[in-house]
Coordinates of all heavy atoms in Angstrom, one line a residue:
Chain A
A365 N 35.3 5.5 -29.0 CA 35.4 6.4 -30.2 C 36.8 6.6 -30.6 O 37.1 6.9 -31.8 CB 34.8 7.8 -29.8
A366 N 37.8 6.3 -29.7 CA 39.2 6.2 -30.1 C 39.7 5.0 -29.5 O 39.5 4.8 -28.3 CB 40.0 7.5 -29.6
D367 N 40.3 4.1 -30.3 CA 40.6 2.8 -29.8 C 42.1 2.5 -30.0 O 42.6 2.2 -31.0 CB 39.8 1.8 -30.6 CG 39.8 0.4 -30.0 OD1 40.5 0.2 -29.0 OD2 39.1 -0.5 -30.5
N368 N 42.8 2.7 -28.9 CA 44.3 2.4 -28.9 C 45.0 3.0 -30.0 O 45.7 2.4 -30.8 CB 44.4 0.8 -28.9 CG 45.8 0.4 -28.5 OD1 46.5 1.2 -27.9 ND2 46.2 -0.8 -28.9
V369 N 44.8 4.3 -30.1 CA 45.3 5.1 -31.3 C 46.8 5.6 -31.0 O 47.0 6.1 -29.9 CB 44.4 6.3 -31.6 CG1 45.1 7.2 -32.6 CG2 43.1 5.9 -32.0
T370 N 47.7 5.3 -31.9 CA 49.0 5.7 -31.8 C 49.4 6.4 -33.1 O 49.3 5.8 -34.2 CB 50.0 4.5 -31.5 OG1 49.5 3.9 -30.4 CG2 51.4 5.0 -31.4
F371 N 49.9 7.7 -33.0 CA 50.4 8.3 -34.2 C 51.2 9.6 -33.7 O 51.0 10.0 -32.6 CB 49.3 8.7 -35.2 CG 48.4 9.8 -34.8 CD1 48.6 11.1 -35.2 CD2 47.3 9.5 -34.0 CE1 47.7 12.1 -34.8 CE2 46.4 10.5 -33.7 CZ 46.6 11.8 -34.0
T372 N 51.9 10.2 -34.6 CA 52.7 11.3 -34.3 C 52.4 12.5 -35.2 O 52.3 12.2 -36.5 CB 54.2 11.0 -34.3 OG1 54.4 10.0 -33.4 CG2 55.0 12.2 -33.9
I373 N 52.2 13.7 -34.7 CA 52.1 14.9 -35.5 C 53.5 15.5 -35.5 O 53.9 16.0 -34.5 CB 51.0 15.8 -34.9 CG1 49.7 15.1 -34.7 CG2 50.9 17.1 -35.8 CD1 48.7 15.8 -33.8
Q374 N 54.1 15.5 -36.7 CA 55.5 16.0 -36.8 C 55.6 17.5 -36.5 O 54.7 18.2 -37.0 CB 56.1 15.6 -38.1 CG 56.5 14.2 -38.2 CD 56.2 13.6 -39.6 OE1 55.9 14.3 -40.6 NE2 56.2 12.3 -39.7
A375 N 56.6 17.8 -35.8 CA 56.8 19.3 -35.5 C 57.0 20.0 -36.8 O 57.7 19.6 -37.7 CB 58.0 19.4 -34.6
G376 N 56.3 21.1 -37.0 CA 56.5 22.0 -38.2 C 55.8 21.5 -39.4 O 55.8 22.1 -40.4
G377 N 55.1 20.3 -39.3 CA 54.5 19.7 -40.5 C 53.0 19.7 -40.4 O 52.4 20.0 -39.3
T378 N 52.3 19.3 -41.4 CA 50.8 19.2 -41.4 C 50.4 17.8 -41.5 O 50.8 17.0 -42.3 CB 50.2 20.0 -42.6 OG1 50.6 21.4 -42.5 CG2 48.7 19.9 -42.6
T379 N 49.6 17.4 -40.5 CA 49.0 16.1 -40.5 C 47.5 16.2 -40.7 O 46.9 16.9 -40.0 CB 49.3 15.4 -39.1 OG1 50.7 15.4 -38.9 CG2 48.7 14.0 -39.1
A380 N 47.0 15.4 -41.7 CA 45.6 15.5 -42.0 C 44.9 14.3 -41.5 O 45.4 13.2 -41.7 CB 45.4 15.6 -43.5
L381 N 43.8 14.5 -40.9 CA 42.9 13.3 -40.4 C 41.8 13.2 -41.4 O 41.1 14.2 -41.7 CB 42.3 13.6 -39.1 CG 43.2 13.5 -37.8 CD1 42.4 13.9 -36.6 CD2 43.8 12.1 -37.7
I382 N 41.6 12.1 -42.0 CA 40.4 11.9 -42.9 C 39.7 10.6 -42.5 O 40.2 9.8 -41.8 CB 40.8 11.9 -44.4 CG1 41.6 10.7 -44.7 CG2 41.5 13.2 -44.8 CD1 41.6 10.5 -46.3
G383 N 38.5 10.5 -43.0 CA 37.7 9.3 -42.7 C 36.3 9.7 -42.7 O 35.9 10.8 -42.7
P384 N 35.4 8.6 -42.8 CA 34.0 8.9 -42.9 C 33.5 9.6 -41.6 O 34.1 9.5 -40.5 CB 33.3 7.5 -43.0 CG 34.4 6.6 -42.5 CD 35.7 7.2 -42.7
S385 N 32.3 10.2 -41.7 CA 31.8 10.9 -40.5 C 31.5 9.9 -39.4 O 31.0 8.8 -39.7 CB 30.6 11.8 -40.8 OG 29.6 10.9 -41.3
G386 N 31.8 10.2 -38.2 CA 31.6 9.3 -37.1 C 32.7 8.3 -36.9 O 32.7 7.4 -36.0
A387 N 33.8 8.5 -37.6 CA 35.0 7.6 -37.5 C 35.8 7.9 -36.3 O 36.5 7.0 -35.8 CB 35.9 7.7 -38.7

Side-chain angles (χ1 to χ4, degrees):
Chain A
D367 190 359
N368 198 18
V369 173
T370 302
F371 70 96
T372 300
I373 303 163
Q374 282 141 14
T378 297
T379 301
L381 284 177
I382 68 165
S385 59

